[in-house]
Amino acid sequence: MAQSSSPTSGVAERYAGSLFELALQANSVASVEADLNRFETMLEGSADLSRLIRSPVFSSEDQAKAIAAIADRAGITGLTGNFLRVVAQNRRLFAVPGMIKAFRRIAAEHRGETAAEVTSAHALTPAQETELKAALKSVAGKDVAITVTVDPSLLGGLVVKIGSRQIDTSLKTKLNSLKLALKEVG
């Protein structure tokens, strides 16, 4: 499997791999994944939390105290809570988003699934998600676990990433291509 050359992705992969092994031993992969998803949602919804994990200004003690309080308040305890505390103490909070993605990918591979990141212009209904999973299963040849994010700037359509493949059917990309083609003509 190809690894990114970014030092952050290497850190994320190692931490995610360790967390997965611990979760597998504790038979709690699903609950750890749910806790990580909850933390990711909190991270995406809070500029302050995002600043806390990315800023080198905060000391490891400050980050550890803040993460402990946030995890306790959100009900993220046990293995995931301890993991976040260790990551904070080791000054690796900047890599948490990558760790979450890597953990999802490792867990999906363990279940015999392929992970796909889907970006859509609007939230997908459960029926649309089911239909998309079925379509992606026919392309990938195995079950597909999807993570959906919403980006209104796409205007319409989807951007699907499965491994190193990307399928971009967004209206934004089509309009940009048309704009480029019109510039070449005129």
Side-chain angles (χ1 to χ4, degrees), residues 99-114:
M99 291 174 195
I100 294 171
K101 285 182 181 179
F103 185 88
R104 269 195 208 115
R105 184 188 48 72
I106 293 167
E109 286 175 6
H110 180 74
R111 291 187 298 261
E113 299 174 341
T114 298

Side-chain angles (χ1 to χ4, degrees), residues 1-2 36 40-41 44 51 56-57 117 123 139 149-151 176:
M1 176 185 301
L36 289 175
E40 183 181 48
T41 301
E44 290 169 351
R51 191 171 27 261
V57 174
E117 295 177 27
V139 171
T149 55
V150 177
D151 181 3
N176 285 339

Side-chain angles (χ1 to χ4, degrees), residues 78-147:
L79 190 55
T80 311
N82 291 340
F83 174 76
L84 291 172
R85 286 174 179 84
V86 167
V87 169
Q89 289 168 353
N90 292 346
R91 305 261 322 150
R92 298 291 186 259
L93 280 177
F94 65 89
V96 164
M99 291 174 195
I100 294 171
K101 285 182 181 179
F103 185 88
R104 269 195 208 115
R105 184 188 48 72
I106 293 167
E109 286 175 6
H110 180 74
R111 291 187 298 261
E113 299 174 341
T114 298
E117 295 177 27
V118 178
T119 307
S120 68
H122 56 82
L124 299 178
T125 65
Q128 289 172 324
E129 281 193 31
T130 303
E131 190 175 331
L132 180 60
K133 282 182 183 180
L136 292 175
K137 181 178 181 175
S138 69
V139 171
K142 53 183 164 179
D143 288 336
V144 178
I146 63 172
T147 305

Side-chain angles (χ1 to χ4, degrees), residues 8-48:
T8 303
S9 68
V11 167
E13 289 287 329
R14 286 191 305 276
Y15 273 80
S18 297
L19 178 60
F20 180 77
E21 291 299 321
L22 291 170
L24 197 58
Q25 288 174 4
N27 200 21
S28 61
V29 173
S31 66
V32 168
E33 196 167 6
D35 284 343
L36 289 175
N37 289 340
R38 220 169 45 240
F39 186 78
E40 183 181 48
T41 301
M42 290 175 10
L43 187 58
E44 290 169 351
S46 172
D48 290 337

